[in-house]
Amino acid sequence: KGYGFGINNRKKIYPASIVKLVYAFAAYYWIEKGRILLTEEISDAARKMLFYSSNNATSFLVDILTGTTSGPCIEGQSWKNWQYQRAIINDWLHNLNWEELKGINCCQKTWDDEPFGREKEFYGYDNNNRNSMTTDSVARVFEEIMIHIDYQKHDLNLRGFLKRNLNKVVLKKDSLNQIDGFLGEGLPESTNLWSKA
């Protein structure tokens, strides 16, 4: 809703771990609507997914959001049902009716290595069903998380999970700090930074 400029900002590309913003936003929404209950485990998983970019935490949350699990290939109606369930996040994104979200695909888990079994099959021939987003869609989801959600005491505080400490001493102690090698590395320590690497 603000002003800006983008190059290829409507081109669909593979978002890698940036898709975790969508899954965090979906978890917040599911909790707000009473579809899932906020527990310490869900809060911890959302924090680890956003702050440390944990793929294990992401897998856990995608399973909770969609009612699916990874495993060996399945067939018939069970396979159709599984695919339908996994598409629930895409259906929800579509129902938001945000121009920036048209045509994006956010239904796959993130992996340290690669998917296997039904997850691999769900990626489709030549990975044609892999996650895809535009930079405009990422910006819109990030804006919603940062500006348009009024977090309360018992909410899933996504904004807090994205806050970064730029102190060099703190960063040196964490080799996976999501700052070194990213935009935050070049910022003064006094800068307020919220990010998802």
Side-chain angles (χ1 to χ4, degrees):
K1 296 176 189 159
Y3 297 96
F5 180 78
I7 298 173
N8 295 322
N9 49 306
R10 293 177 187 247
K11 180 181 179 183
K12 287 186 275 186
I13 56 175
Y14 178 65
S17 285
I18 299 297
V19 74
K20 294 170 184 177
L21 289 168
V22 171
Y23 301 150
F25 181 43
Y28 175 88
Y29 184 88
W30 264 234
I31 291 165
E32 286 293 299
K33 296 297 180 186
R35 294 178 184 170
I36 59 175
L37 295 175
L38 176 60
T39 64
E40 285 185 32
E41 190 173 37
I42 288 176
S43 182
D44 187 48
R47 181 182 64 81
K48 288 177 178 172
M49 178 178 69
L50 292 179
F51 194 79
Y52 298 110
S53 205
S54 167
N55 290 331
N56 291 337
T58 304
S59 179
F60 172 74
L61 286 174
V62 169
D63 285 348
I64 287 177
L65 292 168
T66 65
T68 62
T69 58
S70 301
C73 293
I74 51 180
E75 298 177 341
Q77 193 60 45
S78 294
W79 177 230
K80 288 179 183 175
N81 291 344
W82 190 95
Q83 292 176 86
Y84 174 82
Q85 284 295 119
R86 185 56 76 81
I88 282 177
I89 296 173
N90 281 335
D91 293 342
W92 167 70
L93 290 170
H94 176 76
N95 288 336
L96 291 174
N97 290 315
W98 294 353
E99 181 66 30
E100 301 89 348
L101 304 184
K102 285 187 178 173
I104 68 171
N105 186 42
C106 300
C107 62
Q108 302 288 356
K109 294 181 176 182
T110 54
W111 304 94
D112 291 327
D113 187 8
E114 64 179 289
F116 294 91
R118 67 188 74 161
E119 300 285 355
K120 178 66 174 173
E121 188 173 347
F122 189 53
Y123 264 67
Y125 180 73
D126 288 337
N127 292 331
N128 61 354
N129 193 33
R130 73 181 188 168
N131 290 330
S132 66
M133 296 182 75
T134 66
T135 55
D136 277 358
S137 64
V138 173
R140 180 65 195 269
V141 171
F142 201 82
E143 178 188 50
E144 194 69 22
I145 290 169
M146 293 301 298
I147 297 173
H148 299 292
I149 296 176
D150 181 23
Y151 296 102
Q152 303 299 316
K153 183 178 179 183
H154 299 292
D155 286 340
L156 197 59
N157 188 348
L158 307 181
R159 187 184 306 133
F161 299 157
L162 294 164
K163 181 76 167 102
R164 303 296 173 177
N165 186 340
L166 299 179
N167 182 282
K168 303 292 185 211
V169 175
V170 172
L171 295 176
K172 190 177 276 189
K173 294 177 183 176
D174 180 9
S175 63
L176 303 173
N177 60 50
Q178 303 284 298
I179 297 297
D180 292 332
F182 297 96
L183 175 68
E185 184 177 30
L187 298 175
E189 286 187 27
S190 61
T191 305
N192 283 319
L193 175 67
W194 293 262
S195 71
K196 174 67 198 85

